[in-house]
Amino acid sequence: MCGIVGYTGGRRASEIVYRGLEELEYRGYDSAGIASLENGNIYTVKRRGRVKSLDGLISDLDGNTAVGHTRWATHGKPSDKNAHPHVCGKFALVHNGIIENCEELKKMYFSGVEFDSETDSEVIVRLIDLFYDGDILSALKNTASLLKGSYAVALICADFDGLAVMKRNNPAIIGYGDGENFVASDAPALSRCKTITILKDGDIALVTKDGVNIFDENLQGVIRERIKNLAEPSSLELGDCPHYMLKEIREVPATVVNTCSAYLSAEQKIKEVLSGVNRIIITGCGTAYNAGLLGKRYVELIAGIPAEAEIAGEFRYKRPIVDSKTLVLAVSQSGETADTVEAAKLARSLGGKVIAVTNSPYSELVRLSDATAPVAAGPEICVAATKSYVGQVAALYLFANTLAGEPIEKCIGELEAVSPLCKKTIEHIEISSLADMCARSNGVYFLGRDTDYAVATEGSLKLKEISYIAGDGYPAGELKHGTLALIDIKTVSVFIITRKELAEKNVNAVEQVLSRRGKAAVVTNIESVCEKLRKRAEIIRIPECPENLSPLISVTVLQMLAYNTALLLERDPDKPRNLAKSVTVE
Ligand code: M6R
């Protein structure tokens, strides 16, 4: 949700910052901009649209110090004037976050002043300029003390040959080079830096080409750990894939295997955290919540312990019941989703334990958790989560087995056996006819029972977010309690049927759709289902596997369906409208 980048060193800063913005573009793509410092002057270019809209403009930026921004609009529509950097006096500033008291601050400090943009961010640079008397640190400290909300800010100042950074509730990471230093919103964008420092809330940093000085909110110098950057580069190479989404779906099989090895190293710590726990709550947002729905069933089916799945944005505001025996699993690809991070913080403050299930080892979520169940999906660029979902499901499956006291090597063996089945499905799936049905439809409903229902929720989210076709993920048994009223010749109902004991019931639901002239498709690995529905419903046959693991395979079908439908409708599957990858604001 907005990416910030900064560079100071001996090279042409605008080019380096531009590259960094390309790597962070999945965080927002409404507008982009760069400000560069040259001989004590600040030059800015910014445009509505994607980073490449800056092509041809940055050739005028010659300096060795610059900041850049790629935006996901919160306050103020996407436009040139709302694009960052925002400039005031001697400063140019980029911001990721939301300033909740921006209107209040404007009234209090800038009554009658006309702002250049409709953004909340502009108030930050205006305050810094207001408080500046030659001392950047004090200006930042005074500004920070007034701000409510979240921010990661990087700025340049005409009087200072370097970058200034401050942060609260949004990520800012310093990257170290040789005679040059960097700042960015996340570690993969700093993959060329061997070492990094993750700033803490309240930190203010001054970064020059020769070094980094970090201060706490009272301007006391602090030492923050300089750690090895283990983040994999967020490779922008697409190989033979036209889109990141397809590339990342194809990385699902490797994600399953890599998540298993990563879990093996993490299991001991997880076992320690489990001591005394008698209640499990799984929380997350969007796809991560959908993975949590499966996690809940795994905990119940495998460990026989009641579990709840809660949307993080609900959990944090419902005054949840959490005590020292409660374990909250906070699921998040990015590890920085505001609602999930806040839910985890709340659980800890109530005395509960927290395990992060995440793809981002340096994230805020990892830092505040008691342990991590790692998801080893590697950087995910496409806004729609695919391989990370499968990695989360694999990690939750392993977790449930640890909880049940099962030998983990056995479960790893099961997952490793499913990985080639995912590969086979992704490579050989014939989905074009169903995608065509969906692209022409007025609505697509995804239905299943139990674990298949959990997969249905994810299938529906995937299709909605990249094809913009309305629909829902529903428990198949609920169809007749309302949703059936929506079914007509222009709707498609996609059933996921992989639980043998529930197959008959699901076939009944398919019949209910067919008898209302609705179109139906079935993703199944059960022969009797295929026989009963052959020629009447579109059948997508998937390989058989242990029942609890079929979601890892069936979801790849739904991911491929969403991808192909989006292509038919000429949507950009990697950058769906209105969305961004990491939602770091409420
Ligand atoms: O980084 P997180 O897993 O915490 O993100 C949560 C959701 O924002 C995310 O899953 C979102 O729903 C995706 N765009 C789904 O594809």
Side-chain angles (χ1 to χ4, degrees):
M1 187 132 292
C2 296
I4 62 168
V5 190
Y7 170 84
T8 183
R11 293 188 279 162
R12 192 185 174 87
S14 56
E15 275 168 20
I16 293 162
V17 166
Y18 181 92
R19 252 196 330 267
L21 292 181
E22 283 186 313
E23 285 176 330
L24 289 179
E25 196 170 23
Y26 59 85
R27 297 178 71 93
Y29 32 86
D30 289 331
S31 60
I34 297 177
S36 166
L37 182 66
E38 203 185 326
N39 302 325
N41 295 309
I42 289 176
Y43 299 93
T44 304
V45 294
K46 51 188 194 171
R47 280 285 179 276
R48 180 187 170 166
R50 301 201 174 168
V51 174
K52 65 173 172 340
S53 63
L54 301 177
D55 281 359
L57 298 175
I58 61 163
S59 52
D60 294 338
L61 301 179
D62 275 334
N64 300 124
T65 295
V67 288
H69 189 264
T70 177
R71 178 170 187 244
W72 182 80
T74 58
H75 287 54
K77 58 186 176 303
S79 67
D80 288 356
K81 74 173 181 178
N82 288 337
H84 299 215
H86 294 289
V87 178
C88 186
K90 294 188 167 187
F91 298 93
L93 168 143
V94 292
H95 167 221
N96 169 31
I98 284 192
I99 303 306
E100 286 164 4
N101 58 339
C102 137
E103 288 309 319
E104 215 175 299
L105 291 169
K106 278 186 184 176
K107 268 193 209 123
M108 206 178 308
Y109 291 93
F110 303 107
S111 162
V113 175
E114 199 169 320
F115 273 50
D116 299 327
S117 74
E118 301 149 340
T119 67
D120 54 333
S121 311
E122 190 181 341
V123 81
I124 313 176
V125 73
R126 284 193 179 262
L127 283 169
I128 293 170
D129 177 63
L130 182 71
F131 294 134
Y132 182 61
D133 60 3
D135 178 356
I136 298 179
L137 281 175
S138 303
L140 292 183
K141 172 183 181 260
N142 292 336
T143 301
S145 69
L146 295 174
L147 301 178
K148 290 200 181 121
S150 62
Y151 55 85
V153 156
L155 61 98
I156 52 177
C157 169
D159 295 341
F160 172 62
D161 193 10
L163 309 165
V165 185
M166 61 179 187
K167 79 139 237 155
R168 184 171 297 284
N169 295 331
N170 278 137
I173 302 177
I174 308 281
Y176 300 90
D178 190 7
E180 56 186 8
N181 288 309
F182 304 75
V183 61
S185 296
D186 62 30
L190 296 169
S191 60
R192 288 164 208 87
C193 302
K194 292 200 178 78
T195 55
I196 56 173
T197 291
I198 298 166
L199 293 182
K200 293 201 167 152
D201 280 347
D203 281 355
I204 296 176
L206 293 182
V207 180
T208 64
K209 66 183 172 46
D210 302 315
V212 177
N213 290 305
I214 305 174
F215 306 86
D216 67 13
E217 55 208 337
N218 301 313
L219 295 189
Q220 296 301 310
V222 286
I223 307 285
R224 300 282 179 237
E225 208 185 344
R226 185 167 162 171
I227 54 176
K228 204 166 162 201
N229 188 6
L230 298 174
E232 291 172 53
S234 43
S235 168
L236 297 176
E237 298 292 319
L238 280 164
D240 61 349
C241 291
H243 298 101
Y244 292 108
M245 183 169 185
L246 182 59
K247 175 174 180 267
E248 288 162 6
I249 295 172
R250 288 184 181 163
E251 287 166 358
V252 159
T255 298
V256 174
V257 173
N258 295 341
T259 298
C260 287
S261 348
Y263 188 87
L264 207 51
S265 332
E267 198 198 18
Q268 186 49 40
K269 185 80 192 291
I270 290 171
K271 280 184 176 161
E272 286 162 23
V273 175
L274 285 179
S275 150
V277 165
N278 66 5
R279 188 164 161 243
I280 308 284
I281 300 173
I282 308 180
T283 194
C285 300
T287 287
Y289 167 73
N290 293 342
L293 286 174
L294 264 173
K296 162 190 156 65
R297 292 300 294 131
Y298 286 158
V299 168
E300 291 169 342
L301 288 164
I302 299 166
I305 293 176
E308 296 145 66
E310 293 265 14
I311 290 171
E314 293 293 310
F315 176 84
R316 60 182 286 206
Y317 292 118
K318 66 173 252 189
R319 288 196 246 144
I321 301 162
V322 170
D323 63 20
S324 60
K325 293 184 175 156
T326 308
L327 170 66
V328 172
L329 291 173
V331 186
S332 172
Q333 186 283 130
S334 61
E336 56 175 272
T337 297
D339 280 333
T340 311
V341 169
E342 290 306 318
K345 281 186 190 163
L346 176 65
R348 289 213 54 163
S349 73
L350 295 170
K353 296 174 178 177
V354 174
I355 292 182
V357 182
T358 185
N359 197 30
S360 302
Y362 297 124
S363 59
E364 173 79 2
L365 192 59
V366 166
R367 287 198 298 281
L368 67 86
S369 298
D370 297 285
T372 299
V375 172
E380 194 175 59
I381 307 280
C382 176
V383 166
T386 53
K387 59 178 180 169
S388 66
Y389 170 84
V390 180
Q392 287 161 359
V393 171
L396 289 165
Y397 178 75
L398 291 165
F399 168 81
N401 279 281
T402 300
L403 191 62
E406 294 290 336
I408 208 64
E409 290 74 11
K410 179 175 152 271
C411 314
I412 287 181
E414 289 167 353
L415 281 167
E416 284 176 346
V418 165
S419 165
L421 302 179
C422 294
K423 186 166 190 284
K424 188 172 154 197
T425 305
I426 295 160
E427 279 171 7
H428 300 293
I429 182 93
E430 188 30 81
I431 203 80
S432 50
S433 149
L434 180 54
D436 188 58
M437 269 161 69
C438 292
R440 291 162 187 270
S441 76
N442 277 358
V444 180
Y445 301 94
F446 290 82
L447 300 129
R449 285 174 196 259
D450 198 4
T451 47
D452 291 332
Y453 157 63
V455 176
T457 62
E458 179 55 11
S460 173
L461 176 60
K462 219 69 330 168
L463 188 73
K464 271 185 272 200
E465 79 176 318
I466 62 166
S467 74
Y468 320 149
I469 298 173
D472 214 344
Y474 239 68
E478 280 287 287
L479 189 60
K480 54 195 175 296
H481 298 293
T483 312
L484 205 49
L486 296 170
I487 302 300
D488 64 16
I489 200 164
K490 290 191 180 138
T491 61
V492 179
S493 299
V494 180
F495 289 82
I496 301 106
I497 309 180
T498 69
R499 295 202 84 88
K500 287 207 175 70
E501 78 280 13
L502 301 172
E504 272 306 311
K505 310 259 176 235
N506 279 311
V507 171
N508 290 345
V510 180
E511 297 290 0
Q512 289 160 17
V513 166
L514 291 172
S515 45
R516 269 87 189 169
R517 300 175 67 217
K519 297 192 176 68
V522 179
V523 179
T524 187
N525 50 17
I526 302 173
E527 180 54 32
S528 61
V529 171
C530 299
E531 272 165 27
K532 281 189 188 134
L533 296 170
R534 191 159 286 138
K535 299 215 172 119
R536 295 191 299 136
E538 183 83 21
I539 310 269
I540 312 284
R541 189 77 197 254
I542 58 171
E544 283 188 47
C545 72
E547 230 169 28
N548 284 340
L549 294 180
S550 67
L552 281 80
I553 302 175
S554 59
V555 80
T556 62
V557 174
L558 305 186
Q559 292 169 348
M560 289 295 281
L561 173 63
Y563 175 70
N564 282 279
T565 308
L567 293 190
L568 286 174
L569 292 169
E570 297 183 0
R571 317 281 193 223
D572 178 348
D574 288 339
K575 295 193 173 76
R577 70 182 181 200
N578 306 338
L579 299 180
K581 184 113 187 115
S582 307
V583 186
T584 55
V585 295
E586 276 197 63

